[in-house]
Amino acid sequence: MAVQLNHTILNASDNRASARFLVELLGLPDPVEYGPFQVVQLSNEISLDVIRADGPITPQHYAFLVGEDEFDEIFGRIKDRGLTYWADPFHRQPGRINEWHGGRGVYFDDPDGHALEVMTRPYDIGA
């Protein structure tokens, strides 16, 4: 079997609220409770297992590859909620999206400051 990422743990101050935020914005099925986790299942058999952290949250970056239609839907939900968004990971281009690698992308933060990215084309690394 090839090496594949199966899941990763996302720390949150409120794991239920963070999981709900993710599924609502990304248009995913409701999270499933599994022990202390709220499991957000992605369409490529990878899950984000959201757990409540008792201390400070160290922000991480999570990037989601989506189709053009899904991007439009997600970006619409970002704007409908009045979330701040950026075209870049350094938050230097507010209120804009990018058109890198022949696709579109946008960055926004979750309630705990995790940097979320939605993009329609993967990066051309090594190309």
Side-chain angles (χ1 to χ4, degrees):
M1 171 183 271
V3 176
Q4 299 178 1
L5 181 63
N6 177 265
H7 69 276
T8 190
I9 296 174
L10 187 149
N11 290 309
S13 56
D14 181 337
N15 65 330
R16 291 181 191 281
S18 290
R20 175 73 32 213
F21 176 86
L22 286 167
V23 300
E24 288 176 357
L25 273 175
L26 298 175
L28 297 169
D30 287 339
V32 174
E33 188 167 337
Y34 182 72
F37 302 101
Q38 291 293 307
V39 178
V40 174
Q41 189 65 52
L42 305 177
S43 60
N44 59 344
E45 300 182 28
I46 296 172
S47 66
L48 294 176
D49 299 355
V50 186
I51 191 166
R52 190 175 79 73
D54 291 326
I57 305 290
T58 300
Q60 299 291 316
H61 173 72
Y62 298 91
F64 303 94
L65 182 62
V66 301
E68 292 291 338
D69 291 341
E70 289 85 5
F71 183 90
D72 290 337
E73 293 168 6
I74 293 166
F75 188 50
R77 290 189 283 268
I78 290 169
K79 292 189 297 186
D80 288 348
R81 285 185 174 218
L83 298 176
T84 302
Y85 60 91
W86 300 268
D88 68 300
F90 305 107
H91 297 176
R92 295 182 184 144
Q93 299 176 47
R96 296 176 51 199
I97 66 170
N98 67 60
E99 296 179 350
W100 300 337
H101 310 284
R104 295 181 293 160
V106 66
Y107 295 80
F108 59 101
D109 291 342
D110 87 339
D112 287 304
H114 293 295
L116 306 179
E117 176 184 5
V118 176
M119 59 187 181
T120 62
R121 293 283 306 265
Y123 296 148
D124 294 331
I125 298 173

